[in-house]
Amino acid sequence: GENVEQHPSTLSVQEGDSAVIKCTYSDSASNYFPWYKQELGKRPQLIIDIRSNVGEKKDQRIAVTLNKTAKHFSLHITETQPEDSAVYFCAATAYLGYSSASKIIFGSGTRLSIRP
Amino acid sequence: DAGITQSPRYKITETGRQVTLMCHQTWSHSYMFWYRQDLGHGLRLIYYSAAADITDKGEVPDGYVVSRSKTENFPLTLESATRSQTSVYFCASSEPASGGGWSDTQYFGPGTRLTVL
């Protein structure tokens, strides 16, 4: 089945610097790659996603890149701010086999801390 | 996010007891999912449902039962709770994007923190 590996498990960066989180997936049929942010005690919330027909997507300070050949994708956060401190999860789809349904397999998460 | 709710938010139970966690969504999304979240494991899929009366196992289904008699509700039952089922449980829902087989965004409920003593 699909497996998603995420690195690093913890990341500490100085405020204003950039942060990069990397994920690899195993199923070459995966076609949708969302990133979720989870603040302490809160639910995961989608921050950006990318589909397999594009290589890069950007939304203000957040960007995601996808390398289908190597089966890896990355989250880039620039000009980090204290409110970026959270746990970030990558995910990849696993096709369920009927209709257009998919289930999402999550990475194990990265705890990002922004140092003031 | 107010469109998907979970109850109870916190639950303490004892080993061997039956527990049901409720999930309700108001968007009429076709797909609903149950995940458990444990330190070091991220989110793991327990069960999912593509529509009313259609359910299937995820990654860690053992010890859990689901049903979906109505589109908006997707209860998760622990038939005989064990300490290893102490976790935070998240329900999610989504609607498939039209055409192309693309998956759509999953929206998560606020979670239920379950402790089994």
Side-chain angles (χ1 to χ4, degrees):
Chain A
E2 173 73 283
N3 184 48
V4 177
E5 294 190 357
Q6 182 172 348
H7 301 280
S9 57
T10 59
L11 180 60
S12 178
V13 301
Q14 193 74 33
E15 182 178 352
D17 289 349
S18 296
V20 180
I21 301 171
K22 299 181 179 181
C23 289
T24 60
Y25 62 98
S26 59
D27 188 348
S28 57
S30 295
N31 60 4
Y32 173 65
F33 307 91
W35 285 88
Y36 286 83
K37 175 183 180 181
Q38 186 178 27
E39 297 177 347
L40 188 63
K42 302 288 183 63
R43 73 190 78 187
Q45 292 197 308
L46 181 75
I47 55 171
I48 195 167
D49 56 12
I50 191 168
R51 303 187 188 278
S52 58
N53 60 346
V54 299
E56 185 174 1
K57 183 177 179 180
K58 190 174 181 180
D59 183 4
Q60 298 182 342
R61 297 186 296 108
I62 295 174
V64 58
T65 59
L66 172 65
N67 183 326
K68 288 171 55 181
T69 303
K71 289 191 278 188
H72 66 70
F73 55 113
S74 300
L75 177 71
H76 304 254
I77 306 174
T78 58
E79 300 173 9
T80 54
Q81 301 171 4
E83 53 265 36
D84 294 329
S85 293
V87 178
Y88 291 81
F89 293 97
C90 64
T93 57
Y95 185 59
L96 294 175
Y98 50 84
S99 182
S100 59
S102 300
K103 61 180 179 180
I104 293 180
I105 305 298
F106 286 82
S108 55
T110 296
R111 182 174 301 278
L112 175 63
S113 300
I114 308 301
R115 303 191 303 271
Chain B
D1 288 331
I4 182 165
T5 57
Q6 293 181 234
S7 62
R9 295 293 314 280
Y10 302 90
K11 177 73 177 178
I12 299 175
T13 190
E14 295 177 340
T15 301
R17 291 188 179 265
Q18 184 179 82
V19 178
T20 296
L21 309 184
M22 304 301 295
C23 179
H24 176 79
Q25 52 107 353
T26 60
W27 295 307
S28 298
H29 284 171
S30 298
Y31 299 100
M32 296 188 75
F33 306 82
W34 273 107
Y35 294 90
R36 61 178 289 174
Q37 185 173 38
D38 306 290
L39 282 174
H41 290 281
L43 288 150
R44 291 183 292 176
L45 183 65
I46 304 171
Y47 268 95
Y48 60 91
S49 169
D53 298 321
I54 300 176
T55 63
D56 207 346
K57 296 177 181 179
E59 186 182 358
V60 288
D62 293 344
Y64 303 95
V65 174
V66 294
S67 62
R68 194 158 176 216
S69 57
K70 294 183 179 181
T71 300
E72 61 267 29
N73 296 324
F74 191 37
L76 175 73
T77 298
L78 288 66
E79 293 187 300
S80 179
T82 65
R83 290 181 180 174
S84 65
Q85 293 178 308
T86 293
S87 186
V88 178
Y89 292 84
F90 286 100
C91 176
S93 70
S94 71
E95 191 65 32
S98 57
W102 302 119
S103 175
D104 208 349
T105 304
Q106 290 198 5
Y107 297 91
F108 285 82
T112 294
R113 183 174 295 276
L114 176 67
T115 301
V116 183
L117 301 176

